[in-house]
Amino acid sequence: MKKADVAEFYLRLAELNPEPKGELEWVNPYTLVVAVALSAQATDVSVNIATRKLFAVADTPEKMLALGEDGIREFIKTIGLFNTKAKNLVLMAQQLIERHGGEVPRDRDALEQLAGVGRKTANVVLNIAFGEPTIAVDTHVFRVANRTGLAPGKTPLAVELKLEKVTPAPFLLHAHHWLILHGRYICKARAPDCWRCPVVDLCRFREKRLTPPKSSSAGTATPAP
């Protein structure tokens, strides 16, 4: 995608949603780390349902550790991979207490050393909790970046680095939110809603669906973010 088209791409998404927000619910940086870690191979909706009750009793590493693996499991057993995630939350709580005084570090390398935390989770936390202009590449961002021609890459890291390079500075802070929401609600995996896409003329996707399916209409479809 040409430099001018990239700027226009983000400008249109920004005009539609000037202050995009993540859809996971959290109350402090620690609960954000937990929520993002739990969202792996799970929907934000399912995570929010579980964490509303979990965070009511355990919103710090100390409280999570006191709850214990069995206690945590009872709250998150409706989420995929809940056994592994319960173990990771206990270990993560221990690590935060022992290494960081119970505080979430504002450092990608330190975050990635926590149990259950990878680069994507670290980038989300840095962006949302600390206002860092990081770009977290999940399946939605990866798809949108490649499909549209915005920042093609064979791996999430390659896409992340390309997005950081091509995204104009004024749009960096919210870039991954715009791309996630665009991928979740419009540029969907199996059947993208190109017919209602605000950047369809800039997109390099060759198999655009420019008319709505017969079972849907512009009046009943999910609104653009």
Side-chain angles (χ1 to χ4, degrees):
M1 193 178 292
K2 297 179 180 178
K3 186 176 181 179
D5 289 344
V6 172
E8 180 64 21
F9 183 100
Y10 281 114
L11 181 61
R12 293 183 192 178
L13 297 183
E15 288 176 342
L16 288 171
N17 191 0
E19 294 292 332
K21 304 294 182 183
E23 296 183 326
L24 287 172
E25 297 173 4
W26 57 287
V27 295
N28 56 35
Y30 171 65
T31 56
L32 177 61
V33 177
V34 171
V36 180
L38 290 175
S39 70
Q41 299 187 42
T43 65
D44 288 359
V45 172
S46 67
V47 172
N48 288 338
I49 291 173
T51 57
R52 284 171 198 152
K53 295 180 178 180
L54 174 62
F55 294 158
V57 298
D59 59 357
T60 67
E62 293 80 5
K63 292 177 182 177
M64 193 70 73
L65 192 57
L67 193 58
E69 188 176 323
D70 290 339
I72 294 170
R73 189 183 297 111
E74 285 302 306
F75 285 98
I76 68 170
K77 60 186 178 182
T78 56
I79 300 175
L81 305 176
F82 65 90
N83 283 317
T84 298
K85 291 175 180 179
K87 293 179 181 179
N88 282 340
L89 290 188
V90 169
L91 181 54
M92 180 198 298
Q94 292 174 332
Q95 292 169 328
L96 286 170
I97 293 169
E98 295 171 1
R99 301 175 185 176
H100 306 287
E103 299 295 323
V104 175
R106 187 173 179 170
D107 178 83
R108 181 189 283 125
D109 290 338
L111 285 168
E112 287 190 60
Q113 291 175 21
L114 299 175
V117 176
R119 187 178 181 91
K120 182 191 77 173
T121 297
N123 280 341
V124 171
V125 173
L126 289 172
N127 182 273
I128 298 178
F130 300 116
E132 300 282 352
T134 53
I135 298 179
V137 179
D138 69 351
T139 56
H140 298 300
V141 175
F142 188 80
R143 179 175 64 255
V144 171
N146 277 285
R147 180 184 278 169
T148 63
L150 179 66
K154 294 183 178 180
T155 67
L157 180 58
V159 169
E160 177 189 332
L161 297 177
K162 186 70 177 291
L163 283 171
E164 289 180 345
K165 181 178 179 180
V166 304
T167 301
F171 301 117
L172 271 173
L173 181 61
H174 294 315
H176 92 274
H177 278 125
W178 284 317
L179 297 176
I180 287 171
L181 294 172
H182 189 65
R184 182 172 289 166
Y185 296 111
I186 295 180
C187 196
K188 296 175 285 188
R190 294 185 179 180
D193 289 351
C194 305
W195 49 274
R196 64 188 187 93
C197 175
V199 293
V200 65
D201 57 312
L202 305 173
C203 175
R204 298 296 186 264
F205 186 46
R206 294 182 179 181
E207 301 175 14
K208 293 174 182 171
R209 303 168 71 249
L210 298 177
T211 56
K214 294 181 180 179
S215 59
S216 303
S217 68
T220 59
T222 304

